[in-house]
Amino acid sequence: MTNLTDLTVAAIRDGVAAGTFSAVEVAEAFNARVAAAQALNAFIVTTPEAALDAARKVDADRAAGNALGKLAGVPIGMKDLFATKGVQTTAASHMLEGFTPQYESTVSQKLWDAGAGMLGKLNLDQFAMGSSNETSYFGNVISPWRRNDGSTAAMAPGGSSGGSSAAIAARLCPAATGTDTGGSIRQPAAFTGISGIKPTYGRCSRWGIVAFASSLDQAGPMARDVRDCAIMLEAMAGFDPKDSTSLDMAVPNWEASLNADMKGKKVGIPREYRVDGLDADVAKSWDDGIAWLKDAGAEIVEISLPHTKYALPAYYIIAPAEASSNLARYDGVRYGLRDLPDGANLQEMYAATRAAGFGAEVKRRILIGTYVLSAGFYDAYYTQAQKVRALIARDFELAFQHCDVILAPTAPTAAFGLGEKTADPLAMYLNDVFAVPASLAGLPAMSVPAGLNREGLPLGLQIVGRPFDEQGVLNAGLAIEARAQFSAKPEQWW
Amino acid sequence: MSEYRIQGMTGEWEVVVGLEVHAQVTSNSKLFSGAATAFGAEPNTQVSLVDAAMPGMLPVPNRECIRQAVRTGLAINAQINKWSRFDRKNYFYADLPQGYQISQLYHPLVGEGEIEISLDDKNPEADVKRIGIERIHVEQDAGKLMHDQHPTMSYVDLNRSGVALMEIVSRPDIRSPAEAGAYLAKLRTILRYVGSCDGNMDQGSMRADVNVSVRRPGEPFGTRTETKNVNSVRFVMAVVESEARRQIDLIEDGGTVVQETRLYDPDKNETRSMRSKEDAHDYRYFPDPDLLPLVLDDAFIEECRASLPELPDAKRHRYENALGLAPYAAGVLTADVETARWFEALLAAAAAKAGKPEAELAKQASNWLISELFGALNKLGKGLADSPVTAEGGAELLALIADGTISGSIAKQVLEKMLETGDGAAAIVEREGLKQTSDTGAIEAAIDKVLADNAAKVEEYKGGKEALFGFFVGQTMKAMQGKSNPQVVNELLRKKLG
């Protein structure tokens, strides 16, 4: 008998549609697997009843001969950054602990409309700020992966979408939502041997997603393979009049147009990403990727993205600047945590509430953001960073005159152990060095598994495409996937 | 315009004033959310998820608010910026749910324009002065704190949170309390004509921040203070006067003016310090990343322009030139849009009834409206808006005068009855038997009696005291109880007195 929790999104969808198994059977299988995986701490809350309700509706629709949605019968995990009506939405913060929205985010609503069901709300770095999931107020997620030296050291699942990545890698859900501000889909996907795509900025509505940095935040799917990402993205994307930055463009049929043939395509290899001291296994996987795409018919060209080294500093000005303002609404006045010491006035209530409600990393970024926007510093930091951002976008524009997609590592290393980088924020930030440029330029970018390093930990390859060319990105990802033949999965220890 | 100077102990001073007027945009919904904007609703009943700044909520600009601001800009001949942008002004306060106000600092929607003011509306010879407008930008209003609901806690009403405001910033071109008052009144007139703001200062839909400094005539600007949220024309004038006086006294006492925010206390007629520059906020303005730049196309701007009504200055000139009204009358009739509308309806109806061109009846209509109706309404404590007599009703009365059915003095009585009863002029004249007579027989009889009763005066008249003619007319009219046609009385009297 098929193990339902080993199936992909496509297989579940097709199996439910064909009647091979029922949606309720699928939901029950995943609910059980989620319940048995508490050691991973991937979920902040589980919603088995929501998954079952959605499944029952799909089964009833099928029985009645009604048309089924694109994700009919597929239970998924929802990053706890998406507002879900009637279900606690925390952004992994104490500030929003117990906050239950009376509204549903546009993206999650689209997924439910497509027939998906919710297994639960996935853990993440607090307010999506972090690269290891260690900033969550609800405790860090533990990656299902371990080093192959027999060590039981807990590994980081990446971040901020670390609950999503860990849950998919551990087969707790076939797919999940993520959000990516500076690598938060791609880096955790790479760390856990799964796929994830951040579409072009504006493809997915931001309405109802707890904001981190508005000009960078973008929702996207995470799943085990490229096809599943395409299916999920089709359901998630689309113009939303409630989001002024939403793209008013039709959603292409990405799944139907998947094509791993790279003949006639040029793949750019950015020279600036080959930094000194690049991890040897990462460098090798990059070379493998180049060979695979060449094998798929692509022409490989060297390109230059000269402002790459300024991307991370610019990102760590712009994102905190926006965050410092976006997080001002958490003030204890209307919802969420209120800490009102005896006799406190308004200012004291703000101070007490925000001191108690935000974690150290969130506070660090609010401080950075407040600083760079302050009178006297604004031009030196924020204005300058915006100029850098424009130059980085220009770098890509010029590069795409010579190539169709860009191939690079997703992250400079494989997963690190929990606690290894918490003392050094800069080392942590450097994890996103390859992911951040595409975020600043608003470009579609995905990570696909490329293999394991010598420690037995997954490595990811990143494909960056032209604006709106998610298809080109997915196709290159598919070409790699077909050749990488990545079939490793974490041994179950939990 | 004579120069306004304030006499200090050490000589003359000049006051320099600039106004920042916040005008609530007339629109059914808020600047970035679909919530309603009605005044006086129960607290927190007009609040959307966006206005309450719930997590994940996003602003979407309301086209109508932008349109109204553009129309306002066009009405003051201002430059409309086809590319503008919203910025966040960051500060914490309990009435500001987002923790920032969405405003426009760097790239406002409307650039430079100007407003023409006359210091003395009643004097057509008074000079006009142009007050420069630096910019108009649109921004969100905040909510309101209520401190009287609970012994130790304050409550917040978010009904106003997110309502669209236009901030209309003048140049420091104003030089006296009277100019400040005239500017604000003129601005309000224009806003009401355009329909972009109801101008109701008592409801808070228009309020002014008054920037005041003083200097010796001809010297550079002094340090200014800003008195916030002044909510009437009279108070603005009072603020200019009292704040200028305070600054002069301070300087002459050897002190220096501190750049600060002040509040006006109408009961004491003085301003007091709210906060000084030292503890001023650092608002950390930056472009709102939730919003794209606002890009307007020519068609949109042209539509805004085409939708503008005739504006007060143009209307006043037309009343003078095309309708032949005196400058004073034209000024009074155009001072607010409701009066102008009423007058135009009256004139149109009167012209239709008489079958004559409007220009022929304009003076009569204007005189009647200004000297008769305004006075009568004033006595009743009413205005045109709640006048029991409609423009159509007024036209009916004017037609009765014009065709000789009643005299001007009888018309006064008829108007009183109209206001009292709400009945039409013709019905009242009929019912009360007020029709004037042109029956020469009856009039001749009355004249004969008047001349007989005043034989001595007749002699005097014939002896050359022609001024007595009016006396005989008056006596005859009196004898006829005002109902005789004055023209016929005149003719017959002249004949009889030879």
Side-chain angles (χ1 to χ4, degrees):
Chain A
M1 149 110 201
T2 322
N3 191 349
L4 292 173
T5 57
D6 277 338
L7 296 179
T8 61
V9 168
I12 294 169
R13 174 195 64 185
D14 296 345
V16 167
T20 315
F21 39 76
S22 72
V24 167
E25 286 173 301
V26 176
E28 281 171 344
F30 278 105
N31 278 342
R33 193 150 171 91
V34 167
Q38 287 175 24
L40 300 180
N41 199 29
F43 287 88
I44 294 174
V45 294
T46 57
T47 55
E49 279 308 314
L52 284 172
D53 285 347
R56 286 188 200 107
K57 176 151 193 318
V58 168
D59 286 340
D61 276 346
R62 186 180 174 277
N66 295 338
L68 296 181
K70 282 177 182 175
L71 285 166
V74 180
I76 61 168
M78 184 61 58
K79 186 178 184 180
D80 200 22
L81 203 61
F82 293 79
T84 43
K85 188 174 181 176
V87 178
Q88 176 184 261
T89 299
T90 67
S93 70
H94 183 37
M95 186 63 89
L96 288 175
E97 188 175 12
F99 172 68
T100 305
Q102 299 306 301
Y103 49 95
E104 186 77 30
S105 82
T106 298
V107 164
S108 55
Q109 187 61 53
K110 280 170 164 286
L111 288 164
W112 313 145
D113 291 348
M118 179 164 71
L119 291 163
K121 301 296 292 286
L122 290 160
N123 206 345
L124 65 149
D125 277 300
Q126 193 171 139
F127 284 103
M129 299 175 188
S131 305
S132 65
N133 227 278
E134 289 167 290
T135 71
S136 168
Y137 176 72
F138 301 97
N140 55 263
V141 176
I142 297 173
S143 172
W145 290 89
R146 284 178 171 174
R147 294 194 177 102
N148 58 9
D149 58 1
S151 138
T152 58
M155 305 302 295
S160 66
S161 311
S164 307
S165 66
I168 294 165
R171 310 304 195 249
L172 311 187
C173 53
T177 57
T179 61
D180 191 316
T181 303
S184 280
I185 287 175
R186 291 161 284 161
Q187 183 256 21
F191 275 22
T192 56
I194 64 165
S195 299
I197 180 165
K198 175 195 95 72
T200 310
Y201 181 79
R203 271 287 187 206
C204 292
S205 169
R206 293 184 295 114
W207 195 89
I209 302 175
V210 177
F212 163 14
S214 310
S215 74
L216 296 155
D217 293 347
Q218 185 54 210
M222 300 167 76
R224 292 222 307 279
D225 65 21
V226 171
R227 175 172 301 271
D228 285 1
C229 284
I231 296 168
M232 283 281 289
L233 186 57
E234 274 182 40
M236 293 166 70
F239 174 64
D240 181 2
K242 291 188 289 189
D243 176 358
S244 305
T245 61
S246 166
L247 283 171
D248 194 356
M249 294 173 82
V251 177
N253 297 316
W254 288 305
E255 185 197 6
S257 306
L258 283 175
N259 175 4
D261 185 356
M262 296 290 289
K263 260 190 224 83
K265 300 287 180 193
K266 289 182 182 173
V267 175
I269 308 299
R271 119 175 24 117
E272 290 79 7
Y273 283 46
R274 214 170 270 281
V275 290
D276 283 347
L278 182 61
D279 181 276
D281 289 348
V282 169
K284 184 189 172 295
S285 78
W286 194 4
D287 290 339
D288 289 344
I290 291 169
W292 291 328
L293 289 177
K294 209 184 279 182
D295 180 59
E299 181 189 339
I300 307 297
V301 295
E302 190 181 60
I303 56 158
S304 174
L305 300 168
H307 297 91
T308 297
K309 66 176 169 182
Y310 303 114
L312 203 63
Y315 173 84
Y316 274 97
I317 289 168
I318 292 167
E322 294 181 12
S324 70
S325 177
N326 281 337
L327 270 58
R329 65 188 55 198
Y330 306 110
D331 57 7
V333 174
R334 297 167 312 288
Y335 53 79
L337 182 72
R338 169 185 290 180
D339 192 336
L340 184 65
D342 263 354
N345 65 22
L346 183 64
Q347 292 299 326
E348 288 156 355
M349 182 182 89
Y350 287 153
T353 300
R354 291 167 67 82
F358 292 137
E361 183 60 29
V362 174
K363 285 177 193 160
R364 176 165 22 247
R365 299 201 196 189
I366 289 174
L367 287 174
I368 293 171
T370 304
Y371 181 81
V372 299
L373 290 177
S374 298
F377 300 103
Y378 181 83
D379 284 336
Y381 290 100
Y382 187 79
T383 306
Q384 206 66 8
Q386 290 292 8
K387 287 182 193 163
V388 168
R389 185 176 188 173
L391 289 172
I392 283 168
R394 180 87 185 127
D395 280 358
F396 280 108
E397 239 178 270
L398 294 174
F400 281 124
Q401 292 177 1
H402 306 288
C403 64
D404 299 294
V405 291
I406 293 168
L407 180 72
T410 306
T413 64
F416 45 87
L418 287 168
E420 279 176 18
K421 298 198 181 199
T422 43
D424 184 354
L426 278 185
M428 189 72 89
Y429 296 170
L430 278 169
N431 243 281
D432 292 322
V433 66
F434 297 142
V436 154
S439 294
L440 289 172
L443 300 173
M446 96 176 289
S447 179
V448 291
L452 298 178
N453 73 356
R454 66 192 75 179
E455 293 178 310
L457 296 173
L459 294 171
L461 282 171
Q462 179 180 213
I463 302 125
V464 181
R466 295 192 179 100
F468 324 123
D469 188 23
E470 285 81 3
Q471 192 71 61
V473 171
L474 290 162
N475 286 350
L478 195 64
I480 292 174
E481 181 180 278
R483 286 160 184 82
Q485 292 288 326
F486 184 84
S487 58
K489 63 179 201 176
E491 201 128 328
Q492 186 164 345
W493 52 262
W494 56 91
Chain B
M1 200 172 288
S2 69
E3 281 172 354
Y4 177 85
R5 291 287 183 264
I6 303 165
Q7 196 60 48
M9 286 184 314
T10 58
E12 283 196 334
W13 295 84
E14 183 182 39
V15 63
V16 175
V17 182
L19 294 186
E20 292 168 24
V21 174
H22 295 261
Q24 179 179 329
V25 176
T26 303
S27 160
N28 294 328
S29 51
K30 297 183 178 180
L31 182 52
F32 296 111
S33 82
T37 57
F39 174 75
E42 283 294 303
N44 294 314
T45 55
Q46 308 200 343
V47 185
S48 74
L49 295 168
V50 174
D51 307 320
M54 299 304 278
M57 291 301 102
L58 298 171
V60 176
N62 174 343
R63 186 185 165 90
E64 178 59 17
C65 297
I66 304 303
R67 184 173 168 272
Q68 290 290 30
V70 169
R71 294 176 73 243
T72 305
L74 292 169
I76 59 161
N77 292 315
Q79 145 127 27
I80 305 302
N81 295 323
K82 288 192 198 170
W83 192 98
S84 68
R85 204 176 59 185
F86 291 102
D87 301 302
R88 290 186 185 176
K89 177 182 183 179
N90 295 283
Y91 65 97
F92 284 94
Y93 203 55
D95 65 4
L96 190 72
Q98 295 168 135
Y100 55 83
Q101 177 195 33
I102 305 178
S103 181
Q104 296 187 299
L105 175 69
Y106 297 107
H107 299 277
L109 181 58
V110 177
E112 299 239 14
E114 63 177 23
I115 285 179
E116 215 174 68
I117 60 166
S118 161
L119 196 53
D120 185 357
D121 274 339
K122 297 193 168 127
N123 174 9
E125 306 303 318
D127 285 340
V128 294
K129 177 169 175 174
R130 293 168 195 280
I131 306 296
I133 305 284
E134 188 183 311
R135 57 189 280 158
I136 301 177
H137 65 255
V138 289
E139 63 185 21
Q140 298 175 301
D141 204 350
K144 195 176 78 181
L145 290 193
M146 297 178 290
H147 300 293
D148 54 0
Q149 312 281 310
H150 188 278
T152 60
M153 311 275 268
S154 293
Y155 281 57
V156 189
D157 175 8
L158 296 180
N159 281 354
R160 292 186 67 94
S161 167
V163 162
L165 301 177
M166 292 179 280
E167 181 167 330
I168 304 161
V169 183
S170 87
R171 295 245 167 239
D173 290 347
I174 297 165
R175 292 287 178 276
S176 71
E179 285 184 24
Y183 167 78
L184 190 58
K186 183 63 174 282
L187 177 59
R188 184 172 58 184
T189 299
I190 293 172
L191 294 174
R192 284 175 168 165
Y193 265 73
V194 171
S196 57
C197 170
D198 66 23
N200 295 335
M201 298 190 79
D202 51 345
Q203 294 180 358
S205 42
M206 192 172 157
R207 47 197 198 261
D209 297 343
V210 187
N211 288 286
V212 176
S213 66
V214 296
R215 64 175 175 185
R216 299 287 186 189
E219 290 193 352
F221 290 151
T223 303
R224 67 189 161 86
T225 62
E226 180 178 21
T227 303
K228 288 276 195 193
N229 286 331
V230 186
N231 63 358
S232 82
V233 172
R234 194 161 59 84
F235 289 165
V236 165
M237 295 169 70
V239 164
V240 173
E241 196 163 351
S242 67
E243 180 57 15
R245 174 48 67 188
R246 186 191 69 85
Q247 292 183 13
I248 292 166
D249 291 348
L250 183 64
I251 297 168
E252 291 188 330
D253 272 355
T256 42
V257 176
V258 183
Q259 187 176 338
E260 63 182 355
T261 305
R262 299 181 72 84
L263 278 180
Y264 177 64
D265 180 346
D267 296 332
K268 296 183 179 160
N269 187 29
E270 64 182 29
T271 65
R272 58 186 160 76
S273 180
M274 205 167 117
R275 57 170 188 259
S276 73
K277 199 186 171 194
E278 283 75 48
D279 46 33
H281 295 290
D282 178 353
Y283 290 118
R284 291 168 284 123
Y285 278 99
F286 77 110
D288 191 322
D290 282 332
L291 292 161
L292 300 174
L294 192 59
V295 180
L296 307 180
D297 58 26
D298 290 330
F300 177 79
I301 296 172
E302 279 321 302
E303 184 277 317
C304 289
R305 194 187 306 278
S307 75
L308 285 180
E310 185 181 32
L311 293 166
D313 288 343
K315 200 181 272 295
R316 202 181 69 234
H317 294 142
R318 178 169 66 84
Y319 283 9
E320 287 178 35
N321 301 329
L323 298 181
L325 298 187
Y328 169 69
V332 170
L333 294 177
T334 55
D336 83 75
V337 68
E338 289 310 322
T339 307
R341 274 191 204 130
W342 211 98
F343 171 68
E344 288 177 14
L346 171 73
L347 184 55
K353 284 188 205 301
K356 290 179 180 168
E358 289 188 358
E360 229 172 89
L361 300 169
K363 261 190 202 159
Q364 189 202 4
S366 151
N367 286 343
W368 177 77
L369 178 56
I370 294 172
S371 1
E372 304 296 336
L373 185 60
F374 278 172
L377 287 174
N378 211 17
K379 272 186 218 154
L380 296 174
K382 288 181 187 257
L384 272 185
D386 50 357
S387 165
V389 175
T390 62
E392 183 70 24
E396 186 183 326
L397 180 60
L398 289 180
L400 292 177
I401 303 170
D403 70 9
T405 308
I406 55 172
S407 64
S409 57
I410 289 295
K412 282 188 216 287
Q413 291 177 42
V414 176
L415 175 58
E416 271 173 36
K417 299 272 182 207
M418 287 166 76
L419 291 167
E420 231 170 78
T421 62
D423 293 340
I428 290 167
V429 167
E430 192 61 40
R431 188 170 67 221
E432 311 266 332
L434 296 173
K435 243 182 220 171
Q436 70 184 355
T437 177
S438 302
D439 172 355
T440 47
I443 297 173
E444 266 182 88
I447 289 175
D448 288 344
K449 184 162 187 313
V450 166
L451 297 185
D453 290 349
N454 296 284
K457 291 216 163 61
V458 173
E459 282 313 306
E460 283 179 50
Y461 177 82
K462 287 185 170 161
K465 201 168 177 188
E466 288 185 8
L468 281 168
F469 188 76
F471 168 78
F472 298 124
V473 173
Q475 290 299 308
T476 309
M477 293 298 282
K478 196 172 162 192
M480 293 293 295
Q481 292 172 309
K483 286 183 281 185
S484 48
N485 184 329
Q487 255 178 321
V488 177
V489 172
N490 274 329
E491 276 167 31
L492 290 175
L493 259 175
R494 285 203 195 284
K495 211 183 287 169
K496 297 218 179 248
L497 288 169

